[in-house]
Amino acid sequence: MRRRSAQGHPFSRRRFLQLLGAAGIGGGIWAPSLFSAAGAVASTAAFEEISATASGIAWTHVSGRSPMAHLPETVGAGCAFVDYDNDGWMDIYLVNSGPCDFYEPSPPLRNALYHNNRDGTFTDVTQKAGVPGNAYGMGVAAGDYDGDGFPDLYITQYPYSTLYHNNGDGTFTDVTAKAGVAAAGWATSAVWFDYDNDGRLDLFVCRFVDYSKAKLKFCGDLITGERHYCIPSIYDAMPCWLFHNNGDGTFTDVSKASGITQSRAKAWGVVAADLNNDGRMDLYVTNDTVPNFLFANRGKGRFEEIGILAGVGVSSFGKARSGMGVDAADYDQDGWIDLFEANVDQEMYSLYHNDKDEVFSDVSNPNGIGVATRLMSGWGLKFLDYDNDGDLDLLLCNGHPDDTVEKRIEGVKFREPMLLFRNAGKGFQNVSQESGAAFSKPLAARGLAIGDFDNDGAVDLLITQNNGAPILLRNLAGRDNHWLGVRLVGTKSNIDAVGAKITYQAGDLLRHKFKVGGGSYLSSHDPRMVLGLGKRTKIDWLEVGWPQPSGKKERITDLPIDRYITIVEGEGKWK
Amino acid sequence: MDPVLAISRPYRNRTLIAAAVTLMCVTTSAQVKTKAPAEGSSSAAERGIGLASKGRCREALPILKKARAEITNRDLKYDVLMSTARCAMGLEQTETAVRTLLELNRSFAKDPEVLYLTTHYYSELALKASHDLASVAPSSAQAQQLEAEAFESQGEWDKAVTQYQRILEQNPQRHGIHYRLGRLFLTKTPPNSEDAKREFEEELKIDPNSAASEFLLGEIARQAGQWGEAIPRFERAIKLDEGFVEAYLALGISMNAAGKFADAVTPLENYVKMLPDDPAGHYQLATAYARTGRKQDAQREMTLQQETAAKSPRTSPQQ
């Protein structure tokens, strides 16, 4: 059989790929106005930016951008909504760069912990709390690993990470050495979850490439000597870490015994969720230039990597992409948790529908996500019900990793706007253009944490920028509907109830939500779950499916709305 | 200005071209010295090469032509052929130059200097042809199309569109113009798939056998997740051109995406036979096999996917 195409216009592989990509961004499909017409949602802004003056958050990320173009400079950093003092109000943690072999910041830089003053303002309490970070910071994962009721902070860094134990009195103690979780290397995202169902939070830490000042490679213009940030394919992949919580304040590195080290990673993002409904938490890890991992938890402390056969490892063209941001949620309410992956420009992002039996289908094209993200590079992202209508929407933060990209690639920007996709029940609609000025503002976005900092039931956003100030966005859209906020406290299961499932009925609305671990990029979220009710004024019942080792289901009635409640495992009531 | 002359304006000065060839000849003389034949050889070939290196091509060329058939030494053959090609180019002996370049490309296929020389000369021939077209038929559809294509290659999308549209005004039935317009609309930033779609459909009205138009209409549908439209488009593209390799892959991808895994197997099997080094085919075929219960076949294809992907790692951000 001859290999050619019609009309004497042979399609080279590269040309074919260009056309495949380009074909999707045509005006008619891509134009936001069409989505707007279909969306027909709130005409007022869904989110409003809170200025630094108003919030009191004066801290700024400094990347230390150098002529040497060290790769860590362009990828940080993360952030968290965390109620460190358990006062019921979300505080904010921000990660900065710091000293390492290629960078000695002058003046010194530090992370920041901002206490929520409950009036829309925040106070910097970093010094008192003792959580400044001590290396080149990347991300943060909050989790109550010792079950004392106060969230602890794991700060991922280069060339080693730090665990801050929350003392419960507004201060923290660096317990990294005692805990044994330093993770020497370049750590990126991390997640607390209970992989062995012993009721304690274990720790998975993504590792990026084998990197150090001595291993820096040249990428750039050989004539002028000007460097740009290297594509990670030229650096060696390294295995991620899995630390088992021993229950005594120490951890055991089980990376090898669990099978995690069999897969060499260049990992940016991770989300923990039970993807095959077998009662064990699996891990989806996004990698840059090597296939993504789906670590299926096979029990007895072992994971099996099945990403490619599951359909979430590589692109539809069989090639690894630059997987960065990630999340998991059952957006279509079929009982199976779906996945989302953001990539770099030209690669498009992927919404993976869980087809059950450990296989997924990329449904980004029919949902308009593929075409909208063609030129985007995605980091922080999260499924969230921003308008409290009961359906999980999707928020994507973007920005190209290379600050010289505009010289090289037409149409691709270093700073890119966020995207908001509304779940309309039968698919997603791009509603970015009508969701306020925040969605037309170009950002060098990296981290994204979601959390309700003003306790109004509308989940707000915290976005970090590389080498810039963080953005705090107040959610206005969620206020139009009713809601119930739920804080789950595990007793037999892990205290943060990671892996729990809440099902609820409000009149004709029957919905469920899974509490996944992690997700987004380098960031950590408000642990409370907000259940959207739409215009319904009553919630009939709520059922909590606690994660293993409990596995218990508790149905609760006589519930209030438009407020937060706490449900403690085994108590059968709310408070 | 005459359209074709506009295309080639930077190269119109024949003196400049001659100077370039002379420069190449001078370069050769230095290279010849480093590739001197073995001592003791006093062949006519060496004499021809020596004359060529001094720019005395009129004397050198007959000697080189005569000598080349008898040479067995590979280095000497290389020098003779290169000298012959350069002299023939300088003397505008096109047939000799082309024949010699063809022989060089056969005998020294991966030699950078051969490839460099070939590129230059073929470019010059293309320019010469464009000059001829401009002088004999400056307002012909062919001349206008050439100009439009030149604009296209330079990224001058709007000018290219105008030029293609001008061709259609003069000859609405001309094959391939709507197709090229459609492709142009897809290439623009941001691409315009609605206009592209309209152009491909127009092309098919003029030329129902345009497999490429069917293919790109299928692609536009596939990108929008409209499998019901994409699949028959790709099927028609294959029917029109059974060697249209990418259409098999696109059909297989669309079948898989539509959940028609069993139907995806045949086009994907065809694809991997035609392009065994492309991980895309193996990946999609593995998916189709896996979803139809053929686990062993799926595993085999997955292994091939990994092997082929490893052979072509990404080396630049946008590869």
Side-chain angles (χ1 to χ4, degrees), chain A residues 307-318 352 355 358-362, chain B residues 249 252-265 268 272 279-295 297-303 305:
Chain A
I308 292 180
L309 265 180
V312 295
V314 292
S315 73
S316 56
F317 292 100
Y352 290 115
D355 296 341
E358 299 181 351
V359 290
F360 293 77
S361 297
D362 188 340
Chain B
L249 175 64
I253 290 174
S254 301
M255 292 284 199
N256 274 344
K260 298 180 174 180
F261 302 108
D263 294 335
V265 168
L268 290 168
V272 300
H282 296 297
Y283 176 68
Q284 290 291 334
L285 186 53
T287 302
Y289 283 148
R291 303 287 184 99
T292 50
R294 296 169 64 176
K295 300 289 179 194
D297 291 331
Q299 197 57 56
R300 184 192 67 240
E301 289 301 321
M302 201 55 75
T303 303
Q305 178 269 329

Short mmCIF file of all heavy atoms in Angstrom, two decimals, chain A residues 307-318 352 355 358-362, chain B residues 249 252-265 268 272 279-295 297-303 305:
data_model
loop_
_atom_site.label_atom_id
_atom_site.label_comp_id
_atom_site.label_asym_id
_atom_site.label_seq_id
_atom_site.Cartn_x
_atom_site.Cartn_y
_atom_site.Cartn_z
N GLY A 307 -0.55 3.22 34.29
CA GLY A 307 -0.99 4.45 33.62
C GLY A 307 -1.28 4.32 32.14
O GLY A 307 -2.32 4.77 31.66
N ILE A 308 -0.38 3.69 31.40
CA ILE A 308 -0.55 3.68 29.95
C ILE A 308 -1.73 2.80 29.54
O ILE A 308 -2.59 3.22 28.76
CB ILE A 308 0.76 3.24 29.25
CG1 ILE A 308 1.83 4.32 29.46
CG2 ILE A 308 0.53 3.03 27.76
CD1 ILE A 308 3.16 4.03 28.83
N LEU A 309 -1.78 1.62 30.10
CA LEU A 309 -2.91 0.74 29.72
C LEU A 309 -4.24 1.30 30.22
O LEU A 309 -5.29 1.05 29.61
CB LEU A 309 -2.69 -0.66 30.27
CG LEU A 309 -2.04 -1.64 29.30
CD1 LEU A 309 -1.86 -3.01 29.94
CD2 LEU A 309 -2.85 -1.79 28.01
N ALA A 310 -4.18 2.08 31.28
CA ALA A 310 -5.42 2.67 31.78
C ALA A 310 -5.86 3.85 30.92
O ALA A 310 -6.98 4.35 31.07
CB ALA A 310 -5.23 3.14 33.22
N GLY A 311 -4.99 4.30 30.03
CA GLY A 311 -5.36 5.40 29.13
C GLY A 311 -5.08 6.78 29.68
O GLY A 311 -5.54 7.77 29.13
N VAL A 312 -4.27 6.86 30.76
CA VAL A 312 -3.98 8.17 31.35
C VAL A 312 -2.47 8.46 31.39
O VAL A 312 -2.04 9.41 32.02
CB VAL A 312 -4.56 8.29 32.77
CG1 VAL A 312 -6.07 8.24 32.73
CG2 VAL A 312 -4.01 7.20 33.69
N GLY A 313 -1.69 7.61 30.70
CA GLY A 313 -0.24 7.76 30.78
C GLY A 313 0.33 8.70 29.75
O GLY A 313 1.26 9.46 30.04
N VAL A 314 -0.21 8.62 28.54
CA VAL A 314 0.36 9.39 27.44
C VAL A 314 -0.77 10.03 26.63
O VAL A 314 -1.95 9.77 26.88
CB VAL A 314 1.22 8.49 26.51
CG1 VAL A 314 2.47 8.00 27.21
CG2 VAL A 314 0.41 7.29 26.00
N SER A 315 -0.38 10.83 25.65
CA SER A 315 -1.38 11.48 24.80
C SER A 315 -2.02 10.45 23.88
O SER A 315 -1.56 9.31 23.78
CB SER A 315 -0.72 12.56 23.95
OG SER A 315 0.05 11.95 22.93
N SER A 316 -3.03 10.86 23.16
CA SER A 316 -3.66 9.93 22.22
C SER A 316 -2.72 9.57 21.09
O SER A 316 -2.98 8.65 20.32
CB SER A 316 -4.96 10.51 21.67
OG SER A 316 -4.71 11.76 21.08
N PHE A 317 -1.61 10.29 20.98
CA PHE A 317 -0.61 9.95 19.97
C PHE A 317 0.52 9.10 20.56
O PHE A 317 1.58 8.97 19.96
CB PHE A 317 -0.05 11.23 19.33
CG PHE A 317 -1.07 11.92 18.49
CD1 PHE A 317 -1.76 13.01 18.97
CD2 PHE A 317 -1.40 11.44 17.23
CE1 PHE A 317 -2.73 13.62 18.22
CE2 PHE A 317 -2.38 12.04 16.47
CZ PHE A 317 -3.05 13.14 16.96
N GLY A 318 0.26 8.59 21.75
CA GLY A 318 1.20 7.63 22.31
C GLY A 318 2.47 8.24 22.85
O GLY A 318 3.45 7.55 23.06
N TYR A 352 -10.16 13.04 31.86
CA TYR A 352 -10.26 11.59 31.69
C TYR A 352 -11.50 11.06 32.40
O TYR A 352 -11.59 11.12 33.63
CB TYR A 352 -9.03 10.90 32.27
CG TYR A 352 -7.75 11.12 31.49
CD1 TYR A 352 -6.69 11.82 32.04
CD2 TYR A 352 -7.60 10.61 30.20
CE1 TYR A 352 -5.51 12.01 31.34
CE2 TYR A 352 -6.42 10.80 29.49
CZ TYR A 352 -5.38 11.49 30.07
OH TYR A 352 -4.21 11.68 29.37
N ASP A 355 -14.01 4.98 32.97
CA ASP A 355 -14.91 4.02 32.33
C ASP A 355 -15.06 2.74 33.16
O ASP A 355 -15.59 1.75 32.66
CB ASP A 355 -14.39 3.63 30.93
CG ASP A 355 -14.36 4.82 29.99
OD1 ASP A 355 -15.05 5.82 30.27
OD2 ASP A 355 -13.64 4.74 28.97
N GLU A 358 -10.58 0.23 35.68
CA GLU A 358 -9.24 0.79 35.54
C GLU A 358 -8.91 1.24 34.12
O GLU A 358 -7.76 1.15 33.67
CB GLU A 358 -8.18 -0.20 36.06
CG GLU A 358 -8.37 -0.52 37.54
CD GLU A 358 -7.34 -1.46 38.12
OE1 GLU A 358 -6.55 -2.02 37.34
OE2 GLU A 358 -7.32 -1.62 39.35
N VAL A 359 -9.90 1.71 33.40
CA VAL A 359 -9.65 2.33 32.10
C VAL A 359 -10.37 3.68 32.03
O VAL A 359 -11.45 3.85 32.62
CB VAL A 359 -10.04 1.44 30.90
CG1 VAL A 359 -9.11 0.27 30.77
CG2 VAL A 359 -11.47 0.99 31.00
N PHE A 360 -9.75 4.59 31.31
CA PHE A 360 -10.25 5.95 31.22
C PHE A 360 -10.30 6.37 29.74
O PHE A 360 -9.52 5.89 28.93
CB PHE A 360 -9.33 6.92 31.97
CG PHE A 360 -9.32 6.72 33.46
CD1 PHE A 360 -8.62 5.65 34.03
CD2 PHE A 360 -10.00 7.58 34.31
CE1 PHE A 360 -8.60 5.45 35.40
CE2 PHE A 360 -9.99 7.38 35.69
CZ PHE A 360 -9.30 6.32 36.23
N SER A 361 -11.20 7.31 29.44
CA SER A 361 -11.27 7.89 28.10
C SER A 361 -11.06 9.39 28.19
O SER A 361 -11.62 10.04 29.08
CB SER A 361 -12.64 7.65 27.47
OG SER A 361 -12.87 6.28 27.31
N ASP A 362 -10.27 9.91 27.28
CA ASP A 362 -10.05 11.35 27.25
C ASP A 362 -11.26 12.03 26.59
O ASP A 362 -11.50 11.85 25.40
CB ASP A 362 -8.78 11.66 26.46
CG ASP A 362 -8.39 13.13 26.55
OD1 ASP A 362 -9.26 13.96 26.87
OD2 ASP A 362 -7.21 13.44 26.30
N LEU B 249 -4.90 6.44 11.08
CA LEU B 249 -4.71 6.73 12.51
C LEU B 249 -5.87 7.56 13.05
O LEU B 249 -6.43 7.27 14.11
CB LEU B 249 -3.39 7.48 12.71
CG LEU B 249 -3.13 7.96 14.15
CD1 LEU B 249 -3.00 6.76 15.10
CD2 LEU B 249 -1.87 8.82 14.21
N GLY B 252 -8.84 5.48 13.50
CA GLY B 252 -8.71 4.61 14.67
C GLY B 252 -8.89 5.38 15.97
O GLY B 252 -9.59 4.92 16.88
N ILE B 253 -8.29 6.56 16.04
CA ILE B 253 -8.44 7.40 17.25
C ILE B 253 -9.92 7.73 17.46
O ILE B 253 -10.44 7.65 18.58
CB ILE B 253 -7.60 8.69 17.11
CG1 ILE B 253 -6.11 8.38 17.18
CG2 ILE B 253 -7.98 9.70 18.19
CD1 ILE B 253 -5.21 9.58 16.91
N SER B 254 -10.58 8.10 16.39
CA SER B 254 -11.99 8.50 16.51
C SER B 254 -12.86 7.31 16.91
O SER B 254 -13.78 7.46 17.72
CB SER B 254 -12.49 9.09 15.19
OG SER B 254 -11.70 10.19 14.83
N MET B 255 -12.56 6.15 16.32
CA MET B 255 -13.33 4.95 16.68
C MET B 255 -13.14 4.64 18.18
O MET B 255 -14.11 4.35 18.88
CB MET B 255 -12.84 3.75 15.86
CG MET B 255 -13.16 3.85 14.38
SD MET B 255 -14.89 3.50 14.05
CE MET B 255 -14.84 3.12 12.31
N ASN B 256 -11.90 4.69 18.62
CA ASN B 256 -11.64 4.44 20.05
C ASN B 256 -12.37 5.45 20.92
O ASN B 256 -12.99 5.10 21.93
CB ASN B 256 -10.15 4.50 20.34
CG ASN B 256 -9.45 3.16 20.09
OD1 ASN B 256 -10.09 2.13 19.98
ND2 ASN B 256 -8.14 3.19 20.00
N ALA B 257 -12.28 6.71 20.52
CA ALA B 257 -12.91 7.76 21.32
C ALA B 257 -14.42 7.58 21.37
O ALA B 257 -15.07 7.92 22.36
CB ALA B 257 -12.55 9.13 20.76
N ALA B 258 -14.97 7.06 20.29
CA ALA B 258 -16.41 6.86 20.23
C ALA B 258 -16.83 5.55 20.90
O ALA B 258 -18.01 5.21 20.92
CB ALA B 258 -16.87 6.86 18.78
N GLY B 259 -15.85 4.83 21.42
CA GLY B 259 -16.16 3.56 22.08
C GLY B 259 -16.34 2.41 21.11
O GLY B 259 -16.77 1.32 21.50
N LYS B 260 -16.01 2.62 19.84
CA LYS B 260 -16.15 1.55 18.83
C LYS B 260 -14.80 0.84 18.70
O LYS B 260 -14.14 0.90 17.66
CB LYS B 260 -16.58 2.16 17.50
CG LYS B 260 -17.94 2.84 17.58
CD LYS B 260 -18.31 3.44 16.23
CE LYS B 260 -19.74 3.98 16.28
NZ LYS B 260 -20.16 4.57 15.01
N PHE B 261 -14.42 0.19 19.78
CA PHE B 261 -13.08 -0.39 19.85
C PHE B 261 -12.86 -1.49 18.83
O PHE B 261 -11.80 -1.58 18.23
CB PHE B 261 -12.81 -0.89 21.27
CG PHE B 261 -12.95 0.18 22.30
CD1 PHE B 261 -14.01 0.21 23.19
CD2 PHE B 261 -12.02 1.21 22.37
CE1 PHE B 261 -14.14 1.21 24.13
CE2 PHE B 261 -12.14 2.23 23.31
CZ PHE B 261 -13.21 2.23 24.19
N ALA B 262 -13.85 -2.32 18.63
CA ALA B 262 -13.70 -3.41 17.65
C ALA B 262 -13.50 -2.85 16.24
O ALA B 262 -12.69 -3.36 15.45
CB ALA B 262 -14.92 -4.33 17.70
N ASP B 263 -14.22 -1.77 15.94
CA ASP B 263 -14.10 -1.16 14.60
C ASP B 263 -12.76 -0.46 14.42
O ASP B 263 -12.32 -0.22 13.29
CB ASP B 263 -15.22 -0.15 14.38
CG ASP B 263 -16.59 -0.82 14.33
OD1 ASP B 263 -16.64 -2.02 13.99
OD2 ASP B 263 -17.59 -0.16 14.64
N ALA B 264 -12.14 -0.09 15.54
CA ALA B 264 -10.87 0.64 15.45
C ALA B 264 -9.71 -0.28 15.07
O ALA B 264 -8.69 0.18 14.56
CB ALA B 264 -10.56 1.32 16.78
N VAL B 265 -9.87 -1.55 15.31
CA VAL B 265 -8.74 -2.48 15.15
C VAL B 265 -8.20 -2.48 13.72
O VAL B 265 -6.99 -2.34 13.50
CB VAL B 265 -9.14 -3.90 15.61
CG1 VAL B 265 -8.10 -4.92 15.19
CG2 VAL B 265 -9.33 -3.93 17.13
N LEU B 268 -6.31 0.65 12.53
CA LEU B 268 -5.07 0.82 13.30
C LEU B 268 -4.05 -0.26 12.95
O LEU B 268 -2.84 0.01 12.93
CB LEU B 268 -5.38 0.82 14.80
CG LEU B 268 -6.13 2.08 15.27
CD1 LEU B 268 -6.66 1.91 16.68
CD2 LEU B 268 -5.22 3.31 15.18
N VAL B 272 -0.27 0.67 11.70
CA VAL B 272 1.02 0.22 12.26
C VAL B 272 1.84 -0.57 11.24
O VAL B 272 3.06 -0.60 11.33
CB VAL B 272 0.87 -0.57 13.58
CG1 VAL B 272 0.19 0.27 14.64
CG2 VAL B 272 0.12 -1.87 13.37
N PRO B 279 4.70 5.68 17.68
CA PRO B 279 4.06 5.18 18.90
C PRO B 279 2.55 5.39 18.94
O PRO B 279 1.83 4.67 19.63
CB PRO B 279 4.75 5.98 20.02
CG PRO B 279 5.39 7.15 19.35
CD PRO B 279 5.69 6.74 17.95
N ALA B 280 2.08 6.38 18.19
CA ALA B 280 0.64 6.68 18.21
C ALA B 280 -0.18 5.46 17.78
O ALA B 280 -1.18 5.11 18.42
CB ALA B 280 0.34 7.86 17.30
N GLY B 281 0.24 4.83 16.70
CA GLY B 281 -0.50 3.68 16.19
C GLY B 281 -0.51 2.54 17.19
O GLY B 281 -1.55 1.91 17.45
N HIS B 282 0.64 2.27 17.76
CA HIS B 282 0.72 1.17 18.73
C HIS B 282 -0.11 1.47 19.97
O HIS B 282 -0.76 0.58 20.52
CB HIS B 282 2.19 0.93 19.12
CG HIS B 282 3.03 0.48 17.96
ND1 HIS B 282 2.81 -0.71 17.30
CD2 HIS B 282 4.08 1.08 17.33
CE1 HIS B 282 3.69 -0.83 16.32
NE2 HIS B 282 4.46 0.24 16.31
N TYR B 283 -0.08 2.72 20.39
CA TYR B 283 -0.85 3.09 21.59
C TYR B 283 -2.35 2.92 21.35
O TYR B 283 -3.07 2.31 22.16
CB TYR B 283 -0.54 4.53 21.98
CG TYR B 283 -1.37 5.01 23.15
CD1 TYR B 283 -1.17 4.48 24.42
CD2 TYR B 283 -2.35 5.98 22.98
CE1 TYR B 283 -1.94 4.91 25.49
CE2 TYR B 283 -3.11 6.41 24.04
CZ TYR B 283 -2.90 5.87 25.30
OH TYR B 283 -3.66 6.30 26.35
N GLN B 284 -2.80 3.44 20.23
CA GLN B 284 -4.24 3.34 19.94
C GLN B 284 -4.66 1.89 19.70
O GLN B 284 -5.74 1.47 20.11
CB GLN B 284 -4.59 4.21 18.74
CG GLN B 284 -4.51 5.71 19.03
CD GLN B 284 -5.60 6.18 20.00
OE1 GLN B 284 -6.67 5.57 20.10
NE2 GLN B 284 -5.33 7.26 20.70
N LEU B 285 -3.78 1.15 19.05
CA LEU B 285 -4.12 -0.26 18.79
C LEU B 285 -4.13 -1.05 20.09
O LEU B 285 -5.01 -1.91 20.30
CB LEU B 285 -3.11 -0.86 17.80
CG LEU B 285 -3.38 -2.28 17.29
CD1 LEU B 285 -4.79 -2.40 16.71
CD2 LEU B 285 -2.35 -2.68 16.23
N ALA B 286 -3.20 -0.73 20.97
CA ALA B 286 -3.20 -1.39 22.29
C ALA B 286 -4.51 -1.10 23.02
O ALA B 286 -5.10 -1.99 23.65
CB ALA B 286 -2.01 -0.90 23.11
N THR B 287 -4.95 0.13 22.92
CA THR B 287 -6.21 0.50 23.56
C THR B 287 -7.37 -0.30 22.97
O THR B 287 -8.22 -0.84 23.70
CB THR B 287 -6.47 2.01 23.38
OG1 THR B 287 -5.38 2.74 23.93
CG2 THR B 287 -7.75 2.45 24.07
N ALA B 288 -7.40 -0.36 21.65
CA ALA B 288 -8.48 -1.10 20.99
C ALA B 288 -8.45 -2.59 21.37
O ALA B 288 -9.50 -3.19 21.66
CB ALA B 288 -8.38 -0.94 19.47
N TYR B 289 -7.28 -3.16 21.37
CA TYR B 289 -7.16 -4.57 21.76
C TYR B 289 -7.60 -4.77 23.22
O TYR B 289 -8.35 -5.70 23.54
CB TYR B 289 -5.71 -5.04 21.62
CG TYR B 289 -5.24 -5.33 20.22
CD1 TYR B 289 -3.91 -5.12 19.84
CD2 TYR B 289 -6.12 -5.85 19.25
CE1 TYR B 289 -3.46 -5.40 18.56
CE2 TYR B 289 -5.68 -6.12 17.95
CZ TYR B 289 -4.35 -5.90 17.62
OH TYR B 289 -3.91 -6.18 16.35
N ALA B 290 -7.09 -3.89 24.08
CA ALA B 290 -7.39 -4.04 25.51
C ALA B 290 -8.89 -3.97 25.77
O ALA B 290 -9.43 -4.73 26.58
CB ALA B 290 -6.66 -2.97 26.32
N ARG B 291 -9.55 -3.08 25.05
CA ARG B 291 -10.99 -2.90 25.30
C ARG B 291 -11.84 -3.96 24.61
O ARG B 291 -13.06 -3.97 24.78
CB ARG B 291 -11.42 -1.51 24.83
CG ARG B 291 -10.65 -0.36 25.45
CD ARG B 291 -11.03 -0.14 26.90
NE ARG B 291 -10.35 1.03 27.46
CZ ARG B 291 -10.90 2.23 27.59
NH1 ARG B 291 -12.14 2.43 27.22
NH2 ARG B 291 -10.22 3.24 28.10
N THR B 292 -11.20 -4.77 23.79
CA THR B 292 -11.95 -5.86 23.17
C THR B 292 -11.49 -7.22 23.70
O THR B 292 -11.71 -8.26 23.07
CB THR B 292 -11.81 -5.82 21.63
OG1 THR B 292 -10.42 -5.72 21.28
CG2 THR B 292 -12.55 -4.64 21.04
N GLY B 293 -10.82 -7.17 24.81
CA GLY B 293 -10.47 -8.42 25.50
C GLY B 293 -9.22 -9.10 25.00
O GLY B 293 -8.89 -10.20 25.45
N ARG B 294 -8.48 -8.47 24.11
CA ARG B 294 -7.27 -9.11 23.57
C ARG B 294 -6.06 -8.60 24.37
O ARG B 294 -5.24 -7.83 23.87
CB ARG B 294 -7.14 -8.79 22.08
CG ARG B 294 -8.29 -9.39 21.28
CD ARG B 294 -8.32 -8.88 19.85
NE ARG B 294 -7.14 -9.26 19.08
CZ ARG B 294 -6.99 -8.99 17.78
NH1 ARG B 294 -7.94 -8.35 17.12
NH2 ARG B 294 -5.89 -9.37 17.15
N LYS B 295 -5.96 -9.08 25.60
CA LYS B 295 -4.96 -8.56 26.54
C LYS B 295 -3.52 -8.80 26.06
O LYS B 295 -2.66 -7.93 26.20
CB LYS B 295 -5.16 -9.20 27.92
CG LYS B 295 -6.52 -8.93 28.52
CD LYS B 295 -6.66 -7.48 28.94
CE LYS B 295 -8.04 -7.20 29.54
NZ LYS B 295 -8.34 -5.77 29.65
N ASP B 297 -2.40 -9.20 22.98
CA ASP B 297 -2.10 -8.30 21.86
C ASP B 297 -1.90 -6.88 22.36
O ASP B 297 -1.03 -6.15 21.87
CB ASP B 297 -3.24 -8.33 20.83
CG ASP B 297 -3.32 -9.66 20.09
OD1 ASP B 297 -2.26 -10.31 19.94
OD2 ASP B 297 -4.42 -10.06 19.69
N ALA B 298 -2.72 -6.50 23.32
CA ALA B 298 -2.61 -5.15 23.88
C ALA B 298 -1.24 -4.95 24.52
O ALA B 298 -0.59 -3.92 24.33
CB ALA B 298 -3.71 -4.91 24.90
N GLN B 299 -0.81 -5.95 25.26
CA GLN B 299 0.49 -5.85 25.93
C GLN B 299 1.61 -5.74 24.91
O GLN B 299 2.55 -4.94 25.08
CB GLN B 299 0.70 -7.07 26.83
CG GLN B 299 1.79 -6.88 27.86
CD GLN B 299 1.57 -5.66 28.76
OE1 GLN B 299 0.53 -5.54 29.40
NE2 GLN B 299 2.52 -4.73 28.76
N ARG B 300 1.50 -6.53 23.84
CA ARG B 300 2.52 -6.46 22.79
C ARG B 300 2.58 -5.06 22.18
O ARG B 300 3.66 -4.47 22.02
CB ARG B 300 2.21 -7.49 21.71
CG ARG B 300 3.28 -7.56 20.63
CD ARG B 300 2.81 -8.35 19.42
NE ARG B 300 1.75 -7.69 18.70
CZ ARG B 300 0.53 -8.20 18.49
NH1 ARG B 300 0.22 -9.39 18.96
NH2 ARG B 300 -0.38 -7.51 17.83
N GLU B 301 1.43 -4.51 21.86
CA GLU B 301 1.40 -3.18 21.25
C GLU B 301 1.88 -2.11 22.23
O GLU B 301 2.51 -1.13 21.84
CB GLU B 301 -0.01 -2.85 20.76
CG GLU B 301 -0.44 -3.66 19.55
CD GLU B 301 0.49 -3.47 18.35
OE1 GLU B 301 0.94 -2.33 18.11
OE2 GLU B 301 0.78 -4.47 17.65
N MET B 302 1.58 -2.31 23.51
CA MET B 302 2.03 -1.34 24.51
C MET B 302 3.55 -1.34 24.61
O MET B 302 4.18 -0.29 24.73
CB MET B 302 1.40 -1.68 25.86
CG MET B 302 1.37 -0.53 26.81
SD MET B 302 0.54 0.92 26.13
CE MET B 302 -1.16 0.42 26.21
N THR B 303 4.12 -2.53 24.52
CA THR B 303 5.58 -2.63 24.52
C THR B 303 6.16 -1.91 23.31
O THR B 303 7.13 -1.15 23.41
CB THR B 303 6.02 -4.11 24.52
OG1 THR B 303 5.42 -4.74 25.65
CG2 THR B 303 7.52 -4.25 24.59
N GLN B 305 4.73 0.48 21.69
CA GLN B 305 4.53 1.92 21.90
C GLN B 305 5.68 2.51 22.72
O GLN B 305 6.23 3.56 22.39
CB GLN B 305 3.19 2.15 22.63
CG GLN B 305 2.88 3.61 22.95
CD GLN B 305 3.38 4.04 24.31
OE1 GLN B 305 3.45 3.24 25.23
NE2 GLN B 305 3.76 5.30 24.43
#
